[in-house]
Amino acid sequence: MAPMKTGSVNAGLTIPEQVTRSKKRVDAVMADIIKTRTRLKDLARQLVEAERQLEAAQKLPRRSAAGRAEVKVSEDMA
């Protein structure tokens, strides 16, 4: 984490101006935190879905392309 800057950022501003500037900064950081939380939740959902799909794919029987073609032909004839 970067070191906090001292009052030099607000040098020359009145106290109400310093308060306004600081409040805007706090609001901006809070908005970034909210966006990040939302993004993390979305990524967590995507991860769960990808893991589910991977698990399902790993449970499928493994066949060669020729084996799949034979099964398809025999199913079509049935």
Side-chain angles (χ1 to χ4, degrees), residues 16-65:
E17 289 170 335
Q18 291 177 21
V19 169
T20 299
R21 180 178 277 187
S22 295
K23 183 177 179 344
K24 286 180 182 178
R25 178 71 180 136
V26 167
D27 290 346
V29 170
M30 187 57 72
D32 284 345
I33 290 170
I34 291 168
K35 286 181 203 172
T36 301
R37 285 180 182 160
T38 302
R39 179 75 176 128
L40 284 172
K41 287 178 184 176
D42 182 49
L43 288 171
R45 281 189 213 108
Q46 289 179 30
L47 177 60
V48 168
E49 177 62 20
E51 288 172 336
R52 187 192 64 74
Q53 290 176 359
L54 175 61
E55 187 176 315
Q58 289 172 334
K59 289 180 180 178
L60 291 174
R62 301 197 194 295
R63 295 185 185 153
S64 66

